[in-house]
Amino acid sequence: MTVPNGTHKTVPSRLFQIETPNLEDFKKICSQTTDKSTYPLAASIDHNIPIYDARTLDLQNTSLTTTQQDEWYHILSTGPGILVLKGMYDPTQYADTLNTTNQAFTSIITRERASSTKKGDHFAASGKNDRIWNSFSKHALEDPSSFINYYSNPWLRLVSETWLGPAYRVTAQVNVVKPGGAAQDSHRDYHLGFQDLQTCASFPRNIQLASQHLTLQGAVAHSDMPLQSGPTRFLPFSQTYEPGYLAWRREDFRAFFQEKYVALPLEFGDGLFFNPAVFHAAGANETEPTPDGGFHRKANLLQISSGLGKAMESIDVVPIVERCWGTLLERFKHAGEVDRGLENFVKAVADGYPFPTNLDKRPPAPNGMAPESEQEIIVRGLREGWGTERAVEELRKMRADSWA
């Protein structure tokens, strides 16, 4: 490149180099503190993490929820990167849903344990954890009523849309950590967090930075989580360190994490959400084992992906809809409309982004630029009173017609 005075300017590398990360730069970023005045709707700040109380916030006040989302967006992007939502599943309202969901998870774990299939963990040794991969779909098939109640939660939608906009895909994995369960190594998460170092380094800077904006990490506490049980450890502000996907494996960065991480206790039904680029690690369950098995730390881990990206797990909406349709139709008839709860559920379960597709077979809808999405087909089916067979047929036809 030639500039007007005749000198030459070198175009910078599009890549971060493996040797780019600098611990001193990282330390400066992580030395920031969270100012409560920046987040006036937060109930408190604890170890730099804003705490919100869902029981005191008014979802019906659209002006307030807009401000709420602005605060959350700032937290996740350039703030500390983590927020806690106390009472997201307030037991005074959701006790039956949480308890029946836990029963469903226990049944799934028992059945899968009998199959002798080992369950791995991305960042910790297997053996102590009970893990349900794709707890989302398995929950739907095990107990559709509690599944619908669970994913109709309005706070899940609000925080998902805060970070990802109106089109997103929910996936989930259950983790139960028993006494003696070891801590994870500190890491960043999906997408680039699952790549080896050399592969990760081959992604250009824009993708290194974009990855964190395509996923929202979350967890719902399915038990109390005292500090001794090992709730997730975090390094606030670490998501803002641009070459962080090349740094988290390094021993000097891991040592700094071990020195400076923070963790907060959670209560049954609390929610926690964070930018996947925050350096984090599940803690060790250091509670004492007892003859009955001791204290099990239980969480439903949420991976919520932008409709513009790819989810971590494949979700087949057809068997979910087939299993849940009768209950959904009953609730629609009772409400007389696709009310907020049904709408929340459809957004969590079905794909809101209709591409890629075959535009010869699936041209844009009238007066639109895109064909129907899974969400739109399900809503149309509820309004038109389809039976289960028709709903399944329409979704299968959409899938078949989307292939080239």
Side-chain angles (χ1 to χ4, degrees), residues 76-385:
L76 294 167
S77 56
T78 58
I82 314 109
L83 64 94
V84 171
L85 189 54
K86 300 291 293 181
M88 177 182 174
Y89 286 86
D90 183 5
T92 63
Q93 179 183 356
Y94 285 97
D96 184 62
T97 296
L98 290 170
N99 289 329
T100 52
T101 296
N102 275 348
Q103 290 168 12
F105 290 160
T106 298
S107 296
I108 294 165
I109 288 169
T110 300
R111 189 161 57 247
E112 293 188 346
R113 190 186 295 140
S115 72
S116 300
T117 301
K118 287 188 176 181
K119 297 286 182 177
D121 186 304
H122 294 300
F123 302 102
S126 61
K128 286 292 184 182
N129 296 0
D130 279 325
R131 167 82 70 165
I132 304 175
W133 292 115
N134 194 5
S135 63
F136 187 86
S137 295
K138 293 171 185 175
H139 182 187
L141 299 178
E142 187 74 24
D143 185 0
S145 182
S146 68
F147 176 75
I148 292 171
N149 289 337
Y150 193 95
Y151 288 103
S152 297
N153 185 287
W155 297 106
L156 177 60
R157 175 178 177 176
L158 194 69
V159 70
S160 298
E161 290 186 338
T162 294
W163 191 237
L164 302 169
Y168 53 87
R169 164 72 80 190
V170 178
T171 63
Q173 309 85 38
V174 166
N175 205 21
V176 179
V177 182
K178 304 170 188 177
Q184 290 180 327
D185 294 324
S186 62
H187 59 279
R188 282 182 163 186
D189 242 321
Y190 188 78
H191 308 71
L192 291 179
F194 287 4
Q195 309 296 322
D196 63 56
L197 180 60
Q198 294 293 336
T199 302
C200 187
S202 69
F203 284 89
R205 292 169 183 254
N206 65 308
I207 301 301
Q208 298 273 341
L209 303 180
S211 177
Q212 64 184 271
H213 297 284
L214 294 174
T215 304
L216 177 65
Q217 294 284 108
V220 178
H222 278 247
S223 68
D224 287 339
M225 293 188 181
L227 287 176
Q228 193 179 9
S229 72
T232 303
R233 303 166 176 178
F234 295 103
L235 199 54
F237 300 100
S238 55
Q239 85 282 5
T240 64
Y241 186 59
E242 292 189 353
Y245 279 106
L246 302 182
W248 64 260
R249 301 166 184 81
R250 280 182 28 178
E251 289 304 318
D252 53 344
F253 279 79
R254 283 187 165 165
F256 179 71
F257 177 89
Q258 284 298 112
E259 179 186 348
K260 296 294 185 179
Y261 76 79
V262 299
L264 299 180
L266 297 176
E267 296 175 297
F268 187 43
D270 287 350
L272 180 149
F273 294 90
F274 60 98
N275 182 316
V278 170
F279 282 46
H280 65 282
N285 186 345
E286 297 175 341
T287 60
E288 290 296 323
T290 60
D292 65 355
F295 183 85
H296 292 188
R297 188 184 81 234
K298 302 175 184 177
N300 193 30
L301 309 177
L302 302 173
Q303 289 257 1
I304 308 165
S305 297
S306 166
L308 309 182
K310 295 292 183 181
M312 189 177 79
E313 294 181 311
S314 296
I315 298 296
D316 185 352
V317 73
V318 174
I320 292 175
V321 167
E322 186 172 26
R323 186 74 171 89
C324 295
W325 190 257
T327 305
L328 287 174
L329 206 55
E330 287 178 9
R331 296 190 181 197
F332 172 80
K333 290 176 181 177
H334 178 75
E337 62 179 349
V338 178
D339 63 14
R340 196 73 170 177
L342 284 171
E343 190 175 80
N344 293 347
F345 175 77
V346 171
K347 278 183 167 286
V349 170
D351 200 338
Y353 190 61
F355 299 106
T357 192
N358 183 326
L359 288 171
D360 285 324
K361 296 180 180 178
R362 300 193 68 236
N367 303 317
M369 297 181 66
E372 280 186 310
S373 67
E374 288 178 351
Q375 291 180 4
E376 291 166 329
I377 288 173
I378 291 170
V379 168
R380 181 161 63 89
L382 289 172
R383 288 174 174 159
E384 294 180 4

